[in-house]
Amino acid sequence: MSENTSQDPILTPRLFTPGPTPIPKNVALAQMDSSVYHRTEDFFKIFRQTAALLSPIMGTKEIPIILTTSGTGAMEAAMQNLTATGDSVLTMVGGEFGERWDKMARAYGCQVKTLKVAHGQAFTLEDLDKALTDNKDIKVVFLQANETSTGVFYPIKDYCAAIRRLAPEALIVVDAISALGAHEIQMDAWGIDCVLGGSQKGFGIPPGLAFVALSKRAWLSLSNRERFYFDLTYEAKEQKTGSTAWTPAISLIYGLNVALKTMHERGLPQIIAQHKRQAMAVRAGVMAMGLELLSKDNASHALTAIKIPRSVGAKRVAGILKDRYQVTYARGQGVLAEDVIRFGHLGFVDRFDILAGLAALEFALHDAGHKLTLGQGLGAAMKILAS
Ligand SMILES: *Cc1c(COP(=O)(O)O)cnc(C)c1O
């Protein structure tokens, strides 16, 4: 059976990756109408308003810094500004993005202690307690809110409480890049010192902007490491006025401004509740198709990592989805490449999108020879999505 011959010529391409996410029409239009010079009061006004609209999504009263870079650039900005060579840091690694913290901290000459957990699981408080008790000199803890490679949302409120109790001086840096807009993140209330976000995840705009919010404590603890493009002190001084140190991705700022206004109109609690319900529907649908989830507890609202039996083939299913149905799922990363596909349902995704994504998966599994009765997954999901 050839797997890419029967493509329907009028299929609409559909994106179900945990970044980039679908871009709403009003956001796309706002980005097109942006032949603006960034050293003008018109732009400063939009920029300041955009940064202020971001704060509540990040759970803080602080005004975040908006950087023109991808999410990893925000991670690097945090690493450069909050650590010095030789500092002891703790990295919490449960997948590819945790690994990124670990590699980056090593590249920057930190003394790295690594706390690992199996893919699909969350760190236990006992393990975190032990890591902090065994390493009294930790200056910064780096973790994710949502490990995008495994679809796990960590109970970071509990982790922060443990870190505050056992290492009161340590800074807590949370990469919430795939969590913002899908999960509640209370930077101020939970005692987080640095929260990171990225444009192409929950905000429904293209890649190119990343966000760094720092606590007052973090601003007072900046390291004396040499840095240039990501010098947050310089950037903050400029951004107070609505200017930026370097040329910003102007069109994306206009898109972000509109996306954030839409999010505030809808209400953050409502958006999070919708993500939660849609994630539940995806999990129910997938399980009703006879598949297993990588993460049984602590499942993310932003994406679902789905195990595909080797006999069916994760790569094969992802290939059929794309080639025959124009549906893009994310493949598994690293060691999970052969076993997992990831259904991203983050950002401006509604319940009919969820059903389209599940229907395509059901078709693709059926085509790949996985035994199921068409509709069994969709039916289970629809029961959860029925209002
Ligand atoms: C997407 C993502 C990033 C950033 O990746 P970029 O490709 O640099 O934008 C970082 N952390 C997490 C958890 C992510 O999901």
Side-chain angles (χ1 to χ4, degrees), residues 70-72 75 97 100 144 146 148 175 177-178 200-201:
S70 84
T72 308
M75 295 171 75
F97 291 94
R100 193 168 298 179
Q144 268 65 39
N146 203 55
T148 318
D175 163 4
I177 292 172
S178 61
Q200 80 274 28
K201 306 287 170 112

Side-chain angles (χ1 to χ4, degrees), residues 319-335:
I320 298 174
L321 279 165
K322 181 76 184 76
D323 297 337
R324 191 172 291 175
Y325 300 110
Q326 299 240 42
V327 163
T328 307
Y329 272 47
R331 297 259 304 276
Q333 288 168 285
V335 294

